[in-house]
Amino acid sequence: MSVSRTTLRNRVSVCTLSLALFLGTAGAIAAEDRKVYVIEAQSTAAALNAFARQSGLQLMFDYAEAARTTAPVLKGSYTRKEALAILLANTRFEVGSEDAGVIYLKVSERQGSASATATAVEAEPTEVIVTGSYIRNSQPTAPMRSLGRSDLDAAGYGQLGDVERGLPENFAGGQNPTVVGSGPTNIGNQNITNASTFNLRGLGTDATLVLLNGHRLASDSFFQGVDISGIPLAAVQRIEIVTDGASALYGSDAVAGVANIILRKNYDGAEVSARLGRTTQGGGFEQTYSALIGRSSAEGHALLNVEYSDQEGITAGQRDFTQAAAPASNLLRPQTRRSAFVSLGRDLTPTLSLAFDGLVSDRKVSSVDQYLRDYDAYHITSYNPNYNLAWTLDMDIGDWGLKATAGLAGSRNSVWTRAPGYVGQSNFRNGIEYLEVVADGPIVSGPTGTIKGAIGGGRRTESFANGLASRRNFYQGERHVDYLFAEVLAPLISASENRIGLQALDLSLSARTERYSDFGSTTNPRVGLRYVPVSGLTVRTSWGKSFKAPSFLQMYQTPLLYLYRASAFGYTGGGTALMTWGGNRDLRPERATSRTFGAEYRPEGIRSMVLSATWFDIDYRDRVIQPISPTSAGLSNPIFAAFVEWNPSPARQSDLIAGASTFTNFSGAAYNPATVVAVQHNRYANATAQTVEGVDLGYRQSFALARGDLSAALNATWMDVRQQTLTTTPEFQLSGTIFNVPAFKARAGLTWTRGAFSAAGFVNHIAEEDDTGVSPTRRIGAWTTADATLSWRFGDEVPTFRGVKLALAVTNLFDQDPPIAYSPSLDFEGISFDSTNTTVIGRTVALTLTKSW
């Protein structure tokens, strides 16, 4: 689908108008409010915790450093800037940066006064973890987005998966709970275990590296994507997302970017919460209970969070939109989930500390899948436990810091499928073990400033197994990865606020060398520049190489064979057709070149405003994909001709059946070799090329009004994804077509807070698509929904309700059904919508009660 100039102008006009409406309220900005602070004399760490709670400001700081000093009493009316300066007067802290809506406090070389400005309205500080660099207190040259605790609270989300699916930079397809009816079209779009996975730029769940507190996690199922559904949302402090290729620092899996989920570690107090919700059309009742307790001091910290969640399913018979489907078939699978997170940290000496993070969770899922009303239903249940453990030793050696991390993670997925005359079991195991050492600090001081660097290395072992060892379709794999990396950040000119046009210019260089036990060696560099021409404006650009080894599934999956009606593949002459599926041990590694260019603007006179725009381009070569997508056009679209075998002989069919681990008949009739008109070969293959180009826009601003505080935000992403499957075939567009990343996606919101009351509203928009699975191609309409949240925090007037917060969240406020798409119903009767970009869940209302001590 090509975007016409008129359509593009219309979309730009909509975003411009939205920005104008937000910016038009700038005249209501008043001088920064003064607030009454009551903070007793205590450690600076505890005082900053109290200050963050009372001011609503998010601070990122070195907790161990803050715990070494004592802050004075702060009682009276101050601006945020004045109050923070008083608390930091006896410390070495000063404001280091104000990126992505977060203020970072850095440690200066001398003790003295510090100044600060407030730009973000978020809650609860934590230690500095800057994703995208191993150099502490560094200014990033990669585009990054941060979602803080207040963003999560205002949005009213119930699960972490809801967060990733709502991000404009992220594709909601892949492996996610609401994906239904798209598996035969794209193998990557399947709900196997009810996992929730990141899928930045729509490049696949295995092309986004997901970290927990900076640590790698184990993959889920056989797609090698990381399931985040077991991470308790109540324990999340913030999410940092690098939307740039990061293989030069993090290695394989970071082609599309990095998502780092940072949990609330340095938390003082206790919190329990209960969330109850359901859909207004019926089904989907959810209940989630969470308990959080933490203690932090100058010597260390300890935190424990446990969570239990039960989600009722939604069937096709409960929605008018899917009445043509088998009524008992699940649109949303019922699930029960349990999780526990523990974080412990201890200062062994003034320069040595030890920390441990542990997360264990499990989920039980059951569902009914019935592709045709007159076909047998499959009853599927699965049990999915996983664990993630990491130990970290931090040491200061002069001006340098040394960090050693040991990690151990694993997941298991046991899936049972039952139908009349059939019982099947699938088992998946994923494991990861790693040891990594990183050192960072100043290298040399020169006339333009201090050159800083980081160097590190480690060893990682990944393992995978599928099936039962006693059965034919059992396969497993293991690989070892040894790696070294280095990063340098150098100021090319000395920073000066008085030099108009050239206030700062920094160069970032990084490279990583990896040796894979099954693919050999690779080296991937990255270059980044950060340029500040005038105060408030930062320009960033980057260029880098990425590398990704094929997943275990893509290489080792045993051959599968399916029989469908030929009409399901776009053939109008009747009969049936076979489709091959499975791994390919001759695959080559994927390689990509990434480029970004963007700017962030914070106007001098409006310090709370942040405007950002980033152009990105990814040239992805040797892309491992399932070549025929959608499969509903496999026999009608000539671009797939190289993967189609017409009129196979009965002997040829017998060979295919004999070589397959399983042969599954979805045709609705008995297999007859005489009716088979074609074989559609859809094993994994290295496609020639896939290119991704687009623009991310961001806007964020806080207003101090006469009655309360207002914050506004807008994020939008344009995407143009194209693929050339073979050098002999023409390039075709994936973005804006069914079951692929949308060409345009946006989310805008307003949050108003006055005292203990808060109200927020959000608008979500996904642009129109093309249904390329039918001939001729048909248009799928745009989808726009609205969300709203209301919350009230009780004060100290009534002791019984002290620390109590009540929140009401409504998603899809106006109960919008998804636009009609016809091709999904060719494979899954009655499913007439794109489940990777929309859902038929409808309006959901949830009430959350929280009590804090």
Side-chain angles (χ1 to χ4, degrees), residues 3 54 87 133 259 268 389 403 446 473 591 650 709 739 802 829:
V3 180
Q54 294 182 31
L87 294 177
S133 176
D268 253 325
L389 312 174
K403 176 181 288 187
N473 62 348
R591 300 183 185 275
D709 297 317
F739 302 137
R802 182 181 297 133
E829 187 176 11

Short mmCIF file of all heavy atoms in Angstrom, two decimals, residues 3 54 87 133 259 268 389 403 446 473 591 650 709 739 802 829:
data_model
loop_
_atom_site.label_atom_id
_atom_site.label_comp_id
_atom_site.label_asym_id
_atom_site.label_seq_id
_atom_site.Cartn_x
_atom_site.Cartn_y
_atom_site.Cartn_z
N VAL A 3 1.26 5.31 0.26
CA VAL A 3 0.56 6.42 0.88
C VAL A 3 0.54 7.60 -0.07
O VAL A 3 1.59 8.09 -0.48
CB VAL A 3 1.23 6.82 2.21
CG1 VAL A 3 0.49 7.97 2.84
CG2 VAL A 3 1.26 5.62 3.15
N GLN A 54 6.48 13.87 47.57
CA GLN A 54 5.75 15.10 47.86
C GLN A 54 5.66 16.03 46.65
O GLN A 54 4.72 16.81 46.53
CB GLN A 54 6.40 15.83 49.04
CG GLN A 54 6.29 15.06 50.35
CD GLN A 54 6.90 15.81 51.51
OE1 GLN A 54 6.91 17.04 51.55
NE2 GLN A 54 7.41 15.07 52.50
N LEU A 87 18.27 20.28 49.49
CA LEU A 87 18.54 18.89 49.85
C LEU A 87 19.91 18.43 49.34
O LEU A 87 20.55 17.56 49.94
CB LEU A 87 17.46 17.98 49.28
CG LEU A 87 16.05 18.16 49.87
CD1 LEU A 87 15.07 17.24 49.16
CD2 LEU A 87 16.03 17.90 51.36
N SER A 133 23.90 2.58 26.80
CA SER A 133 25.29 2.94 27.03
C SER A 133 25.78 2.23 28.28
O SER A 133 25.03 2.06 29.25
CB SER A 133 25.45 4.45 27.19
OG SER A 133 26.79 4.78 27.50
N ALA A 259 14.38 -3.00 24.92
CA ALA A 259 13.40 -2.60 25.94
C ALA A 259 13.92 -3.05 27.30
O ALA A 259 14.10 -4.25 27.52
CB ALA A 259 12.03 -3.22 25.66
N ASP A 268 10.83 2.31 50.00
CA ASP A 268 10.60 2.28 51.45
C ASP A 268 9.11 2.24 51.71
O ASP A 268 8.38 3.16 51.31
CB ASP A 268 11.20 3.52 52.11
CG ASP A 268 12.47 3.20 52.88
OD1 ASP A 268 12.53 2.10 53.46
OD2 ASP A 268 13.39 4.03 52.89
N LEU A 389 17.21 -15.11 37.30
CA LEU A 389 18.04 -14.82 38.47
C LEU A 389 19.30 -14.10 38.02
O LEU A 389 19.91 -14.47 37.01
CB LEU A 389 18.42 -16.10 39.20
CG LEU A 389 17.30 -17.10 39.51
CD1 LEU A 389 17.86 -18.38 40.10
CD2 LEU A 389 16.27 -16.49 40.45
N LYS A 403 31.76 -3.74 37.17
CA LYS A 403 30.53 -4.48 37.44
C LYS A 403 30.65 -5.88 36.85
O LYS A 403 30.96 -6.05 35.67
CB LYS A 403 29.33 -3.77 36.85
CG LYS A 403 28.01 -4.54 37.01
CD LYS A 403 26.85 -3.81 36.39
CE LYS A 403 26.47 -2.60 37.22
NZ LYS A 403 25.21 -1.98 36.71
N GLY A 446 41.43 16.09 28.31
CA GLY A 446 42.05 16.89 27.28
C GLY A 446 41.51 18.30 27.27
O GLY A 446 40.69 18.68 28.13
N ASN A 473 9.42 -36.27 17.00
CA ASN A 473 9.52 -34.85 16.70
C ASN A 473 10.31 -34.08 17.76
O ASN A 473 10.18 -32.87 17.86
CB ASN A 473 8.13 -34.23 16.56
CG ASN A 473 7.31 -34.32 17.85
OD1 ASN A 473 7.68 -35.03 18.77
ND2 ASN A 473 6.20 -33.60 17.90
N ARG A 591 21.67 -9.84 8.86
CA ARG A 591 22.52 -8.66 9.08
C ARG A 591 21.72 -7.41 8.72
O ARG A 591 20.90 -7.43 7.81
CB ARG A 591 23.79 -8.74 8.22
CG ARG A 591 24.65 -9.97 8.55
CD ARG A 591 25.95 -9.99 7.76
NE ARG A 591 26.70 -11.22 8.00
CZ ARG A 591 27.54 -11.39 9.02
NH1 ARG A 591 27.72 -10.41 9.90
NH2 ARG A 591 28.18 -12.54 9.18
N PRO A 650 1.34 -38.33 -6.89
CA PRO A 650 1.09 -39.07 -5.64
C PRO A 650 2.38 -39.53 -4.97
O PRO A 650 2.48 -39.53 -3.74
CB PRO A 650 0.22 -40.25 -6.10
CG PRO A 650 -0.47 -39.74 -7.32
CD PRO A 650 0.53 -38.85 -8.00
N ASP A 709 -2.71 20.84 37.96
CA ASP A 709 -1.61 20.67 37.01
C ASP A 709 -2.10 19.85 35.83
O ASP A 709 -2.87 18.88 35.98
CB ASP A 709 -0.42 19.97 37.67
CG ASP A 709 0.17 20.77 38.81
OD1 ASP A 709 0.33 21.99 38.63
OD2 ASP A 709 0.48 20.18 39.86
N PHE A 739 -2.10 -8.01 9.01
CA PHE A 739 -1.20 -8.84 9.82
C PHE A 739 0.24 -8.34 9.79
O PHE A 739 1.17 -9.09 10.11
CB PHE A 739 -1.25 -10.31 9.40
CG PHE A 739 -2.61 -10.92 9.49
CD1 PHE A 739 -3.09 -11.74 8.48
CD2 PHE A 739 -3.44 -10.66 10.57
CE1 PHE A 739 -4.34 -12.32 8.56
CE2 PHE A 739 -4.71 -11.23 10.65
CZ PHE A 739 -5.17 -12.05 9.64
N ARG A 802 -6.05 6.63 55.36
CA ARG A 802 -4.74 7.18 55.07
C ARG A 802 -3.95 6.23 54.16
O ARG A 802 -3.85 5.04 54.43
CB ARG A 802 -3.97 7.42 56.36
CG ARG A 802 -2.59 8.06 56.15
CD ARG A 802 -1.87 8.24 57.46
NE ARG A 802 -2.59 9.15 58.34
CZ ARG A 802 -2.84 8.92 59.63
NH1 ARG A 802 -2.42 7.79 60.18
NH2 ARG A 802 -3.52 9.79 60.35
N GLU A 829 -13.07 -19.35 10.32
CA GLU A 829 -14.43 -18.94 9.98
C GLU A 829 -14.98 -17.94 11.00
O GLU A 829 -14.91 -18.15 12.21
CB GLU A 829 -15.33 -20.16 9.92
CG GLU A 829 -16.74 -19.88 9.42
CD GLU A 829 -17.56 -21.15 9.29
OE1 GLU A 829 -17.10 -22.20 9.79
OE2 GLU A 829 -18.65 -21.10 8.71
#
